[in-house]
Amino acid sequence: MIQQRPGDVLEVFYEDNWYYLVVITKIFMFGGNIVYAFHGDGKKIDDFVPSTEKSGFNICTDLLLPKKEGIVKRIGKVEDPAKYLVINLIKGCHEHRKGMKAKEWWLYTVDPPMKHVARVARLTKKQSLAMDSGMFAFDLTAKKIHENYTPDQNPFIERGVFGELFS
């Protein structure tokens, strides 16, 4: 079983699908690493080459499930994993009820870890791209990868009249 480190490019086989990740941080929250998860359709990509031009998102995830029930393989290394951090922010709220919108957001930095930056009622477009707070089991990460999720799609973000984020 490999022990992932920042900069590792990982190929993960889990529940009959292939996933590709770049590890950005050491263990961060409750055993998870912040990674850049590349969007994909679950098909194996021979000679996968990571690029900041490929779509994906940042998420804190653990690899316990795929290590236990699948395969996690190191297939490369990137020189500067910080390049895969979309924005140096984590956003969180206390709203978790379906259909409800958050009335308040807390913003923290990724580096330095969890330094409080601001408390806001509404997120700007840029702030909405911040990684969602929390550590996600890999099955939830896999679901987000298949859905082409990005953090600005967080269901608790309030949007304007035309469905757009506030600026």
Side-chain angles (χ1 to χ4, degrees):
M1 188 181 306
I2 73 159
Q3 193 170 41
Q4 64 273 11
R5 292 181 176 80
D8 285 349
V9 179
L10 303 178
E11 180 179 67
V12 177
F13 182 70
Y14 176 71
E15 293 189 344
D16 297 323
N17 286 287
W18 295 92
Y19 304 94
Y20 297 88
L21 314 168
V22 170
V23 179
I24 298 172
T25 66
K26 295 178 181 179
I27 298 297
F28 193 80
M29 281 185 190
F30 311 108
N33 300 88
I34 294 178
V35 302
Y36 186 84
F38 293 93
H39 292 140
D41 58 8
K43 292 186 173 84
K44 184 173 176 58
I45 301 172
D46 293 324
D47 302 321
F48 177 80
V49 178
S51 166
T52 56
E53 301 300 314
K54 293 181 180 176
S55 70
F57 59 101
N58 293 133
I59 190 166
C60 185
T61 189
D62 72 38
L63 297 170
L64 294 176
L65 283 172
K67 285 181 178 180
K68 191 174 175 182
E69 301 172 11
I71 300 167
V72 177
K73 189 166 96 176
R74 185 180 299 112
I75 59 169
K77 191 105 172 134
V78 296
E79 197 149 317
D80 184 6
K83 286 183 180 177
Y84 290 86
L85 190 59
V86 175
I87 183 173
N88 188 34
L89 288 176
I90 300 168
K91 68 177 179 296
C93 66
H94 286 302
E95 188 57 71
H96 299 287
R97 295 172 294 171
K98 192 173 182 166
M100 300 299 289
K101 301 301 178 192
K103 303 281 187 240
E104 194 169 51
W105 291 90
W106 291 271
L107 299 169
Y108 301 90
T109 56
V110 172
D111 187 23
M114 300 303 288
K115 179 183 174 202
H116 183 262
V117 174
R119 192 168 99 187
V120 298
R122 290 194 172 124
L123 297 170
T124 65
K125 289 178 185 180
K126 185 176 179 181
Q127 291 167 339
S128 73
L129 296 173
M131 180 181 86
D132 296 326
S133 181
M135 199 280 292
F136 297 83
F138 194 77
D139 56 343
L140 296 172
T141 300
K143 183 176 186 255
K144 289 176 182 283
I145 290 170
H146 284 297
E147 293 172 347
N148 289 330
Y149 179 81
T150 54
D152 59 342
Q153 297 170 6
N154 182 305
F156 304 110
I157 296 175
E158 187 173 348
R159 299 180 189 284
V161 180
F162 301 105
E164 296 175 356
L165 288 165
F166 297 94
S167 48

